[in-house]
């Protein structure tokens, strides 16, 4: 089989969907029955003329016709679309996107990384949400199979065909280091480290305020924010940490390699997967995050929030603590509860998330599920 992945972004561009597409390509290429994986993505000056890649100059009808010729020339049998409304239109309403995909003379599988924003009738985004829903239904009607990361998104797409057409498959780790790194021992630091990574850092105010409450009870507390942040985000985090007098607890690493991020995760104690609260979106810790999968891959127990998006497997996992109370006080109480348990219980929680990784979140498990849809 020859397969084409369509994604608006792809490394070196930094983007969650682009990262997923990159690791997906690597994982699929290991399968003996997949001859080759092609990528169709946006053109940048760094990516011109790479074999096996199709580059969109613009995401218009003319370019999709050109892509169809690329598909025929390379004898591609299946097209796998990575869909996010705002990726293909800055207003989040890519009206012609389903029609453009219909120009491709192959079967389509669509992965909905997002479906639509909330529809609140008195807000101006009502029309955007309605448009996104219509587009989501249109994509559903032309796709052979539909994939998304949680059941709530599946219900937004269609209340029917869950067994037949809609498949719930997690987003894998955005590190994807393979088995060699999973056996490494934790690096003892002498501190109790709370770590956050990726989009979860957007809830930094909650984390910093909880830290201020926790300091008297956890004298060796440390906060770790992993990876590259925008300059504005870094400035705001540092300013808030100084206001709360917790700046001495905080370390922001800046850009790291995948192996360095994995090592930092392994050396930490507890992962905070906190949603960035926004009235336009639904909340809940879920399998839509590659950063969450990376933390689980490292064997870190998780504190997150229970919400509509939360996967049932996360609710059942002993090593995942889901809070219904979104207050700073509830977060601090949950961290202190984990800090207070003995080492054998902490190990049991870590073992539980490793089992979850192997069964649901490893790229091997994900590819096995994906191939069932092909």
């Amino acid at each position: 089989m020859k397969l084409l992945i369509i994604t608006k972004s792809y490394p070196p561009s930094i983007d969650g969907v682009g990262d997923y597409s990159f690791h997906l390509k690597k994982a699929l290429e290991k399968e003996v029955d997949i001859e080759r994986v092609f990528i169709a993505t946006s053109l940048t000056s760094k990516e011109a003329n790479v074999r096996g890649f199709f580059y969109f100059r613009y995401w218009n009808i003319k370019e999709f016709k050109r892509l169809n010729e690329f598909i025929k020339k390379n004898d591609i049998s299946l097209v796998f679309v990575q869909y996010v409304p705002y990726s293909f239109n800055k207003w989040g309403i890519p009206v012609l996107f389903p029609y453009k995909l219909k120009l491709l003379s192959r079967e389509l599988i669509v992965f909905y990384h997002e479906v639509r924003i909330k529809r609140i009738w008195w807000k101006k985004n009502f029309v955007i949400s309605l448009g996104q829903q219509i587009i989501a239904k249109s994509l559903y009607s032309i796709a052979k199979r539909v994939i998304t990361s949680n059941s709530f998104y599946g219900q937004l797409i269609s209340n029917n065909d869950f067994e037949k057409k809609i498949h719930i498959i997690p987003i894998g780790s955005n590190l994807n280091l393979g088995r060699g790194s999973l056996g490494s021992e934790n690096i003892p630091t002498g501190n109790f480290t709370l770590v956050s990574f990726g989009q979860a850092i957007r809830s930094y105010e909650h984390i910093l305020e909880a830290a201020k409450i926790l300091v008297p009870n956890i004298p060796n507390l440390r906060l770790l924010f992993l990876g590259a942040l925008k300059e504005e985000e870094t400035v705001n985090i540092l300013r808030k940490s100084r206001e709360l007098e917790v700046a001495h607890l905080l370390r922001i690493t800046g850009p790291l390699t995948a192996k360095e991020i994995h090592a930092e995760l392994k050396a930490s104690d507890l992962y905070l997967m906190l949603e960035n609260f926004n009235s336009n979106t639904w909340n809940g810790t879920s399998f839509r995050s590659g950063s969450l999968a990376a933390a689980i891959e490292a064997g870190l127990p998780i504190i997150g929030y229970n919400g509509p998006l939360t996967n049932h497997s996360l609710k059942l996992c002993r090593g995942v603590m889901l809070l219904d109370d979104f207050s700073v006080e509830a977060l601090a109480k949950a961290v202190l509860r984990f800090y207070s348990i003995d080492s054998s219980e902490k190990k049991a929680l870590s073992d539980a998330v490793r089992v979850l990784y192997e069964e649901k979140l490893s790229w091997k498990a994900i590819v096995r599920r994906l191939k069932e849809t092909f």
Side-chain angles (χ1 to χ4, degrees):
M1 174 190 288
K2 293 181 181 179
L3 182 147
L4 173 72
I5 297 171
I6 297 180
T7 174
K8 181 64 184 295
S9 57
Y10 196 82
S13 300
I14 298 173
D15 175 90
V17 177
D19 283 350
Y20 171 78
S21 301
F22 172 77
H23 292 298
L24 174 63
K25 182 178 187 292
K26 285 175 59 178
L28 288 172
E29 286 175 335
K30 295 176 182 177
E31 298 297 304
V32 295
D33 54 344
I34 295 180
E35 183 180 347
R36 191 167 183 187
V37 180
F38 296 85
I39 297 289
T41 190
S42 301
L43 175 67
T44 73
S45 59
K46 293 182 179 179
E47 298 171 331
N49 300 320
V50 177
R51 289 189 63 189
F53 280 67
F54 175 91
Y55 295 107
F56 282 93
R57 301 180 185 93
Y58 306 97
W59 290 79
N60 57 23
I61 291 173
K62 181 180 178 181
E63 291 290 275
F64 271 86
K65 289 180 178 179
R66 193 167 66 88
L67 175 61
N68 197 41
E69 293 304 312
F70 177 88
I71 288 171
K72 292 176 180 177
K73 178 181 176 181
N74 289 283
D75 195 27
I76 293 166
S77 56
L78 186 66
V79 176
F80 193 8
V81 182
Q82 309 303 312
Y83 176 68
V84 182
Y86 286 95
S87 285
F88 298 100
N89 178 276
K90 66 179 180 179
W91 305 110
I93 317 176
V95 177
L96 294 178
F97 192 62
Y99 170 74
K100 294 170 187 175
L101 290 174
K102 284 185 73 174
L103 296 173
L104 308 179
S105 54
R106 295 294 184 272
E107 289 185 324
L108 299 174
I109 293 177
V110 178
F111 195 122
Y112 291 79
H113 292 265
E114 295 176 8
V115 180
R116 65 171 174 86
I117 58 176
K118 281 184 179 178
R119 191 175 304 146
I120 304 173
W121 68 267
W122 66 87
K123 289 192 172 186
K124 62 182 180 181
N125 64 10
F126 178 86
V127 174
I128 295 175
S129 175
L130 185 61
Q132 289 174 343
Q133 183 69 19
I134 292 170
I135 294 165
K137 295 281 188 181
S138 297
L139 288 171
Y140 175 80
S141 69
I142 66 173
K144 172 191 174 185
R145 297 279 189 275
V146 164
I147 302 170
T148 191
S149 59
N150 60 82
S151 295
F152 186 81
Y153 279 170
Q155 291 166 1
L156 290 180
I157 299 163
S158 174
N159 288 322
N160 304 314
D161 293 339
F162 250 78
E163 296 298 324
K164 180 180 176 184
K165 191 168 181 177
I166 299 178
H167 299 258
I168 308 303
I169 302 177
I171 299 291
S173 167
N174 54 11
L175 302 182
N176 193 17
L177 296 172
R179 294 289 304 174
S181 297
L182 300 182
S184 58
E185 294 298 321
N186 289 359
I187 305 165
T189 65
N191 295 318
F192 180 75
T193 302
L194 306 179
V195 61
S196 201
F197 172 37
Q199 289 193 356
I201 295 175
R202 294 178 185 173
S203 296
Y204 68 87
E205 291 190 12
H206 239 53
I207 296 171
L208 296 175
E209 289 169 7
K212 186 172 180 64
I213 296 172
L214 289 165
V215 168
N217 296 301
I218 309 178
N220 60 338
L221 178 68
R222 295 294 181 270
L223 304 177
L224 178 62
F225 289 169
L226 288 178
L229 300 176
K230 294 178 181 177
E231 183 178 353
E232 182 182 359
E233 287 179 315
T234 302
V235 169
N236 291 338
I237 290 169
L238 292 175
R239 183 178 66 245
K240 186 68 176 180
S241 69
R242 288 191 291 267
E243 287 175 7
L244 294 169
E245 300 180 343
V246 295
H248 63 290
L249 307 178
L250 175 64
R251 180 162 66 95
I252 301 174
T253 66
L256 297 174
T257 67
K259 287 186 177 181
E260 287 170 335
I261 291 173
H262 185 71
E264 293 281 8
L265 289 170
K266 293 280 289 182
S268 301
D269 296 277
L270 190 60
Y271 187 79
L272 303 183
M273 186 64 199
L274 310 180
E275 293 287 337
N276 179 37
F277 296 106
N278 184 328
S279 61
N280 291 335
T281 59
W282 290 275
N283 301 114
T285 299
S286 76
F287 288 152
R288 64 177 179 160
S289 168
S291 302
L292 176 66
I296 292 174
E297 179 184 22
L300 274 177
I302 310 293
I303 290 181
Y305 289 141
N306 191 25
L309 302 185
T310 303
N311 299 80
H312 189 60
S313 297
L314 286 170
K315 295 180 181 182
L316 294 178
C317 181
R318 183 182 176 191
V320 179
M321 293 161 274
L322 296 169
L323 307 181
D324 293 303
D325 183 346
F326 300 162
S327 68
V328 172
E329 292 75 16
L331 174 60
K333 193 175 294 184
V335 172
L336 188 58
R337 191 183 313 128
F338 177 83
Y339 175 76
S340 302
I341 63 178
D342 61 35
S343 58
S344 61
E345 177 64 11
K346 287 176 181 174
K347 183 180 182 303
L349 298 180
S350 182
D351 290 344
V353 296
R354 286 193 175 97
V355 170
L356 177 63
Y357 175 78
E358 292 296 337
E359 292 181 351
K360 300 286 186 181
L361 290 167
S362 69
W363 278 101
K364 182 179 179 181
I366 289 169
V367 167
R368 183 175 64 248
R369 292 286 315 283
L370 286 173
K371 286 176 65 178
E372 293 171 1
T373 72
F374 291 172

